[in-house]
Amino acid sequence: MVDAIVIPLLKIVILLNAVLVAVSYLVLLERKVIAFVQSRLGPMRVGPHGILQPIADAVKLMTKEDITPARADRWVFTAAPIMVMVPALIVFAVIPFGPEVELFGRSVPLYITDINIGLLYIVSVASLGVYGIILGGWASNSKYPLLSSLRASAQLISYEVAVTMTLVSMILMAGTLSMVGIVESQRDASLWFIFAQPVAFAIFFIGGLAETNRAPFDMPEAEQELTGGFHTEYSGMRFALFFLAEYANMIVISSVATTLFLGGYLRPFPGVEGLAFLDLIPAWSWFVLKTFVFLYVFLWIRATLPRYRYDQLMRLGWKVLIPIAIGNVVVTGVAKVLL
Amino acid sequence: MLEITPTHYLVLSAGLFMIGVIGVMVRRNIIIIFMSIELMLNAVNVNLAAFSQQWQHVTGQVFAVFVIAVAAAEAAVGLGIILAFYRNKETVNIDEMNVMRW
Amino acid sequence: MAEAIVFYGLAALILGFAVLVISTRNTVHSALYLVVNFLLVAMLYVMLGAEFLAAIQVLVYAGGIVVLYLFVVMLVNLKRPPETHQDPRRQTRLGLALASALLAELAAIIVYSATGESAPAATAAAAAGADIAGGNVEQIGMLLYTNYLIPFEVASMLLLVAMIGAIVLAKREL
């Protein structure tokens, strides 16, 4: 009873809260990092060095008036932010944050579940996120959000193809679809897969930037031409859901990249005996550290690179990334058979 | 009634298929008709998966994967035809699709 | 017991959303109900022990095909609703009559087969079929790339042809 129901429920509650807190602090981190890149200080007023800014933001967004535009499709307009947020959160069910640990005399795995189609589950759930974007733009009954949502969904679908192709080559490397199995196969190979699959990593990362609508691929939110994007007509908490979903998706992409390419919760150089003292640090903190590095790179890129033009973005996706990804799958397969 | 047998799945699938048939017969909007066809294909897949479980063999699921591939191809071409037609006649009513060329 | 509750709940929801798909006036709402219907069918696949099929259902149907439908619904920006005109030949009623005839036929088949002898037990069949080890995904992969290799290749050709066909149809000038 306790093992079957109470512990999984507790884990889900803790994980959801941890993700939401991480998301709101990611927003603060982004403002701080961009401020430092531009020689500013960023938010400083609320708490020491603005550390309480997320709480102030949350209070502000929750107390704002919730406006539904006239002639908007009420039901779809309400459902769209939820449809964006839910896929971003349920992906975390299969991400392994650490191996089994002893807690109060029980051995508890630091992941909610380990299903044998883990990677496929992530891809399929992530592909549902596009609905909220399309429908949010459509239901607003307004020109620019509709244009923006069509752009966003076209971009998402195109880059999904390239990302999924790189995942195929990772499946070839690991020989399993289970996320824990992929981490353990990196332990067995005593090699992080980023060193075996640098091309796949590059494509996955670029595709991840595009799928989360982050700079330099933030076309759907190009303020200068689209007045803000598919969520122009949203305000208050509904807008906040869109906003949080974008950051939750960044964390999803970062943690999937960590699991697939950086050995998940494994310590650096998992095969080298001389570094065994690194095992003293809990495994989950390696995971958090690696994910944080990815998130930092996301913010760094946003502060550094200018935005792509829409046709350039589509050309990059279809004519460069997808052919390279398919070629990578072929090369990986041939190497797997020959070696 | 409390034990779920493959027959239960077959009845469900028959119901789903029937709803698809009614959609194709009654609606005149071609996009809805396409959706009804997808419903029917889904009913077929439920059948295949139920038989696959009954015989403890995955061949049924392999067939369902093929059905999904064919459905994807059908949707792509069919929606292309709808777009091409709409560009010429500004309608998606199937009763007005009554000429072979224009 | 639990299985029965889940099955009847899912079945009711699946049929209910299917009825909504074909009865709603607004095409976008129809597409939304279709997505929910596909997700529920995916849950049914999980119940049937077909996890791979469930994932593919969500990925291809919900994540791909219905998005395509939504795109087309939004591109086909109708100035007048498609079904407001008169139905001069009473095709709707004819269609309903034909559909109910088919329903009666199916009901007859179900009643007939339910009163007949029951299906062979699964245990006998299991010995004949379950010779491939490994999880669900491995088994499907094994069959796809051995026994069904040629249909698999044909399906890939079909998809290629469909892709080219869709591009030719949808593009105004090549």
Side-chain angles (χ1 to χ4, degrees):
Chain A
M1 185 67 186
V2 171
D3 277 322
I5 295 173
V6 177
I7 291 184
L9 270 182
L10 265 181
K11 278 197 289 195
I12 290 170
V13 170
I14 293 171
L15 181 63
L16 279 183
N17 282 301
V19 168
L20 288 174
V21 170
V23 163
S24 51
Y25 271 89
L26 186 58
V27 179
L28 176 66
L29 183 76
E30 167 162 49
R31 293 177 68 182
K32 280 287 186 188
V33 168
I34 292 178
F36 286 136
V37 171
Q38 298 167 345
S39 306
R40 294 185 286 119
L41 284 174
M44 288 294 279
R45 298 292 172 111
V46 194
H49 287 266
I51 200 88
L52 298 177
Q53 186 70 37
I55 297 165
D57 285 346
V59 169
K60 178 201 136 193
L61 284 167
M62 275 191 232
T63 49
K64 264 182 99 166
E65 188 190 353
D66 191 19
I67 301 165
T68 309
R71 301 193 58 206
D73 192 313
R74 233 156 238 291
W75 279 101
V76 181
F77 190 79
T78 311
I82 303 169
M83 282 191 276
V84 174
M85 196 66 194
V86 169
L89 288 180
I90 59 177
V91 166
F92 285 103
V94 294
I95 288 174
F97 296 91
E100 301 206 351
V101 291
E102 289 289 325
L103 273 184
F104 311 114
R106 287 171 190 283
S107 106
V108 180
L110 286 181
Y111 41 84
I112 290 175
T113 178
D114 176 32
I115 49 179
N116 64 353
I117 51 161
L119 202 52
L120 213 52
Y121 169 87
I122 291 178
V123 176
S124 50
V125 169
S127 72
L128 292 179
V130 68
Y131 281 106
I133 295 176
I134 299 187
L135 294 168
W138 176 81
S140 306
N141 193 26
S142 168
K143 278 193 200 72
Y144 291 114
L146 182 62
L147 280 176
S148 162
S149 71
L150 286 180
R151 270 189 186 185
S153 38
Q155 171 179 333
L156 234 80
I157 293 170
S158 330
Y159 278 83
E160 212 172 77
V161 180
V163 168
T164 311
M165 289 315 284
T166 67
L167 295 185
V168 172
S169 55
M170 295 315 293
I171 296 166
L172 282 176
M173 288 296 294
T176 173
L177 282 167
S178 138
M179 295 299 272
V180 178
I182 289 171
V183 174
E184 291 302 325
S185 73
Q186 297 184 59
R187 191 202 294 281
D188 296 340
S190 22
L191 178 76
W192 287 0
F193 283 158
I194 183 175
F195 299 116
Q197 290 277 357
V199 179
F201 175 73
I203 294 171
F204 182 88
F205 192 72
I206 296 171
L209 283 174
E211 279 201 57
T212 45
N213 295 337
R214 294 292 301 180
F217 305 111
D218 54 349
M219 289 308 300
E221 291 162 37
E223 302 89 354
Q224 293 88 341
E225 33 191 312
L226 287 173
T227 71
F230 54 88
H231 42 48
T232 304
E233 303 290 344
Y234 281 85
S235 66
M237 209 52 215
R238 297 188 196 174
F239 169 75
L241 275 184
F242 276 119
F243 199 63
L244 292 179
E246 183 183 323
Y247 286 86
N249 273 323
M250 276 167 69
I251 300 184
V252 167
I253 292 282
S254 304
S255 33
V256 172
T258 303
T259 311
L260 292 182
F261 294 100
L262 291 190
Y265 50 77
L266 301 180
R267 65 177 164 85
F269 305 105
V272 181
E273 288 296 324
L275 290 170
F277 65 90
L278 285 174
D279 286 332
L280 290 176
I281 303 169
W284 57 267
S285 54
W286 287 118
F287 183 89
V288 173
L289 186 70
K290 291 168 188 171
T291 310
F292 180 79
V293 169
F294 272 111
L295 291 172
Y296 185 80
V297 175
F298 266 87
L299 306 180
W300 187 13
I301 287 175
R302 157 123 196 238
T304 328
L305 292 181
R307 184 180 294 141
Y308 264 62
R309 224 171 50 220
Y310 193 63
D311 58 324
Q312 292 172 331
L313 177 141
M314 281 305 187
R315 195 182 313 140
L316 177 70
W318 285 103
K319 295 189 179 168
V320 180
L321 292 186
I322 293 177
I324 294 178
I326 293 175
N328 189 48
V329 171
V330 173
V331 171
T332 312
V334 170
K336 264 289 191 193
V337 171
L338 292 184
L339 297 181
Chain B
M1 284 302 271
L2 282 178
E3 196 199 353
I4 301 301
T5 57
T7 315
H8 287 77
Y9 287 97
L10 299 192
V11 172
L12 169 64
S13 142
L16 196 56
F17 192 86
M18 278 314 303
I19 294 172
V21 171
I22 293 172
V24 171
M25 295 281 195
V26 173
R27 298 298 299 259
R28 306 257 62 87
N29 182 342
I30 190 163
I31 298 176
I32 305 271
I33 290 179
F34 259 81
M35 290 182 192
S36 309
I37 293 173
E38 301 293 347
L39 283 181
M40 291 198 264
L41 288 172
N42 248 284
V44 172
N45 281 352
V46 171
N47 253 353
L48 289 170
F51 284 132
S52 162
Q53 195 213 28
Q54 183 186 4
W55 296 97
Q56 294 292 307
H57 197 282
V58 290
T59 311
Q61 295 173 30
V62 171
F63 268 80
V65 171
F66 285 132
V67 171
I68 291 179
V70 171
E74 172 244 317
V77 176
L79 293 174
I81 292 174
I82 294 177
L83 272 186
F85 183 81
Y86 174 77
R87 226 176 270 132
N88 285 300
K89 287 197 86 172
E90 295 260 314
T91 177
V92 288
N93 189 316
I94 200 165
D95 281 341
E96 294 173 40
M97 299 187 177
N98 47 11
V99 284
M100 296 296 280
R101 57 185 293 274
W102 51 75
Chain C
M1 186 63 199
E3 196 198 358
I5 294 171
V6 173
F7 175 80
Y8 286 120
L10 272 182
L13 283 173
I14 286 172
L15 294 179
F17 275 104
V19 169
L20 282 176
V21 169
I22 63 162
S23 61
T24 314
R25 291 272 139 213
N26 189 328
T27 321
V28 173
H29 289 183
S30 256
L32 262 183
Y33 293 133
L34 193 65
V35 177
V36 180
N37 193 49
F38 286 162
L39 295 182
L40 291 166
V41 172
M43 287 185 206
L44 206 66
Y45 290 154
V46 174
M47 267 184 78
L48 283 167
E51 305 99 68
F52 180 75
L53 201 54
I56 291 295
Q57 166 98 358
V58 176
L59 185 62
V60 177
Y61 267 123
I65 294 179
V66 185
V67 176
L68 213 60
Y69 278 103
L70 276 176
F71 262 111
V72 171
V73 172
M74 286 173 190
L75 287 174
V76 179
N77 187 12
L78 289 173
K79 289 177 191 69
R80 62 195 167 104
E83 287 170 289
T84 45
H85 77 299
Q86 296 291 314
D87 193 0
R89 274 159 261 156
R90 300 192 175 187
Q91 279 166 333
T92 303
R93 277 186 214 168
L94 184 63
L96 211 52
L98 283 174
S100 48
L102 189 55
L103 179 65
E105 224 171 289
L106 271 176
I109 292 171
I110 287 165
V111 170
Y112 176 75
S113 59
T115 51
E117 56 191 282
S118 59
T123 43
D131 51 349
I132 307 164
N136 185 250
V137 186
E138 285 90 336
Q139 289 180 9
I140 290 178
M142 225 36 192
L143 272 184
L144 264 184
Y145 288 100
T146 53
N147 292 9
Y148 296 95
L149 183 62
I150 291 172
F152 182 76
E153 296 295 335
V154 173
S156 71
M157 278 309 289
L158 176 74
L159 285 172
L160 179 66
V161 171
M163 188 165 78
I164 297 170
I167 294 170
V168 171
L169 279 168
K171 212 158 162 62
R172 272 160 221 263
E173 69 272 349
L174 285 171

